[in-house]
Amino acid sequence: LSVEPLIKEIYLRASNAAKVESARAVRSGYIPAEYADQATKMCEQSMKRFLHGKTSRLRDISETRNMDNLIESLKFMLGVDEDDLPEPVQNEQLKKET
């Protein structure tokens, strides 16, 4: 099993959460609508900062023999199936997309 599709899914879900929460903040009146894009960007950057070290460690240990168990556990925690995961990408391509 490759860890890259799982990492990609984590970042996609974080990005979606940023968009949902930014929209909620506008609807709730916490921020003006004209700042929605900036709020989304701030949320995305915060999540990327939070996730970066954790996903780097996942990549570092991805060659160990227990990695399959870890990947399966993470998929269970996230509630994803193999069909839900994006296609594997190279590290450089992933960095460009996130």
Side-chain angles (χ1 to χ4, degrees):
L1 294 174
S2 173
V3 72
E4 290 302 324
L6 187 59
I7 290 172
K8 178 72 173 179
E9 180 68 17
I10 290 168
Y11 276 96
L12 289 172
R13 287 181 180 212
S15 179
N16 186 52
K19 291 173 187 165
V20 168
E21 287 304 308
S22 296
R24 186 188 63 78
V26 170
R27 274 193 320 277
S28 298
Y30 296 125
I31 60 171
E34 58 267 17
Y35 294 128
D37 289 340
Q38 290 89 343
T40 299
K41 184 66 174 175
M42 183 183 71
C43 288
E44 287 175 343
Q45 289 304 114
S46 297
M47 290 187 189
K48 285 178 184 180
R49 181 171 297 272
F50 174 76
L51 291 171
H52 178 71
K54 290 134 187 76
T55 56
S56 292
R57 281 196 300 273
L58 275 175
R59 283 186 185 100
D60 290 345
I61 64 167
S62 66
E63 299 302 319
T64 66
R65 62 186 142 130
N66 293 327
M67 192 60 192
D68 288 349
N69 291 336
L70 178 59
I71 290 173
E72 290 302 321
S73 297
L74 286 170
K75 285 177 13 186
F76 175 78
M77 287 175 48
L78 293 171
V80 297
D81 294 321
E82 282 298 317
D83 296 339
D84 296 333
L85 295 175
E87 292 296 318
V89 295
Q90 298 299 322
N91 283 344
E92 291 304 314
Q93 182 183 353
L94 182 64
K95 288 177 186 176
K96 291 176 189 173
E97 293 176 5
T98 58

